[in-house]
Amino acid sequence: QVQLAESGGGSVQAGESLKLSCAASGYTSRRYAMGWFRRPPGKEREGVAAILDDGTTDYADSVKGRFTISRDNAKNTLYLEMSSLQPEDTAMYYCAADLRGLLRLSEWLLPQPDGALDAWGQGTLVTVTS
């Protein structure tokens, strides 16, 4: 079992940048797919970005070219670097882990119920003001 803890959220102005981190603990003996989801206020949770165990990445169209997902396997940490932030990026951001390889890469960008993945973090809030 793996436990996930996000950090790095905050309040910024439009055009600024933030870097989110997700520290994994508990099951770190091998690589597995991880990703970021977000839930904007009053909306459904949506996929943002994902990275497979081989390093392949994919992004939602709304963040392509602005967000970068990466991982540091030595530190068991997942990152999401966000630049040119816009008010529509305001959301609670969650990281998630897929230990069993249940999702295809493209499926990470779709809304997923809690049970679709093996672990979720508690979330970190990003607020972007204009």
Side-chain angles (χ1 to χ4, degrees), residues 20-102:
L20 306 183
S21 300
C22 172
S25 60
Y27 184 81
T28 57
S29 60
R30 65 170 181 84
R31 298 180 188 179
Y32 40 83
M34 297 186 72
W36 291 93
F37 291 81
R38 67 184 182 187
R39 187 191 299 277
K43 296 184 179 180
E44 186 179 31
R45 188 170 59 195
E46 60 188 24
V48 176
I51 183 167
L52 300 182
D53 54 356
D54 65 359
T56 306
T57 61
D58 202 3
Y59 299 87
D61 288 342
S62 59
V63 306
K64 279 182 180 176
R66 300 189 299 123
F67 290 13
T68 301
I69 189 171
S70 62
R71 62 196 302 167
D72 185 330
N73 293 315
K75 296 182 178 179
N76 298 315
T77 302
L78 178 72
Y79 301 101
L80 185 67
E81 294 185 79
M82 307 182 295
S83 63
S84 302
L85 283 162
Q86 299 301 315
E88 51 266 34
D89 295 315
T90 294
M92 185 71 80
Y93 284 73
Y94 302 89
C95 66
D98 179 11
L99 274 63
R100 293 170 285 170
L102 298 175

Side-chain angles (χ1 to χ4, degrees), residues 8 11-19 66 81-85:
S11 182
V12 298
Q13 293 191 327
E16 294 185 339
S17 301
L18 274 177
K19 184 175 183 178
R66 300 189 299 123
E81 294 185 79
M82 307 182 295
S83 63
S84 302
L85 283 162

